[in-house]
Amino acid sequence: AKSECQELLSAQASRDDRVGAAQLLLERRAEHLQGQLDTAQAEADMLRAGRDELQTQLQATAAELDRLRRAEELWEQDCRSAIETTQGREAMLEAEVTRLHGAAAEAETRANIAMEESEKYRKEADMAVAEARAPPARPEE
C-alpha cells in the first residue's frame, strides 16, 4: 500500500505538473491575447480620433463650400446688376447721342438759313448804301 500511495502521489504530482504547465501556457496565451486586445483597442481609439478629425475637417470644408457658394451667388447678382445698369446707361447714352445728332443737324440748318438771310440783308444794305451815295438824278429837261 505504501508503494501504491507513492504511485498515486507521483501520478498526482505529475498531473499537478501538467496542470501547472497547462495553466502557465494558458496564462501566457491569455497575456498574449490581452496584449493583442490592448493593441487593437489602441488602434481603434486612434482610428476613432482620426475619424473624428476627418469629420471635423469635412464639416469645416462643407461650411467653407457653403460660404463660397453664397459669395459666388452674390458676385453673380452683382455682375447681373452691373450689366443691367451698364446696358441701361448705354441705351440712355445712345438716345442722347441720337438727340444731339438731331439737334446739331437742326442747328446747322438754322445756321445756314441765318447765313443766307444775313447775306441777303447785307446785299440789300450794300445796295441801299450805294443808292444813298449816288448823286441825285437830275430832272430831265
Side-chain angles (χ1 to χ4, degrees), residues 23-38:
Q23 187 175 357
L24 183 62
L25 286 174
L26 287 174
E27 285 174 4
R28 286 186 184 160
R29 179 75 177 144
E31 288 173 2
H32 177 70
L33 290 174
Q34 184 62 47
Q36 286 180 335
L37 177 62
D38 292 343

Side-chain angles (χ1 to χ4, degrees), residues 13-107:
S14 177
R15 191 178 323 147
D16 286 345
D17 286 344
R18 284 193 312 259
V19 168
Q23 187 175 357
L24 183 62
L25 286 174
L26 287 174
E27 285 174 4
R28 286 186 184 160
R29 179 75 177 144
E31 288 173 2
H32 177 70
L33 290 174
Q34 184 62 47
Q36 286 180 335
L37 177 62
D38 292 343
T39 301
Q41 286 175 337
E43 287 176 1
D45 290 343
M46 285 185 354
L47 290 173
R48 277 190 286 278
R51 180 202 61 206
D52 293 345
E53 183 179 332
L54 288 175
Q55 284 177 335
T56 301
Q57 289 176 359
L58 177 62
Q59 290 170 348
T61 301
E64 179 67 9
L65 180 60
D66 286 343
R67 187 191 68 76
L68 290 173
R69 283 183 178 150
R70 284 189 305 274
E72 178 187 23
E73 289 172 3
L74 291 174
W75 181 80
E76 286 176 353
Q77 288 174 356
D78 289 346
C79 286
R80 281 191 297 276
S81 177
I83 287 171
E84 290 171 3
T85 300
T86 301
Q87 288 172 339
R89 289 191 73 213
E90 182 181 353
M92 183 182 72
L93 290 173
E94 286 175 355
E96 182 65 9
V97 166
T98 300
R99 185 190 70 76
L100 291 174
H101 278 301
E106 185 180 322

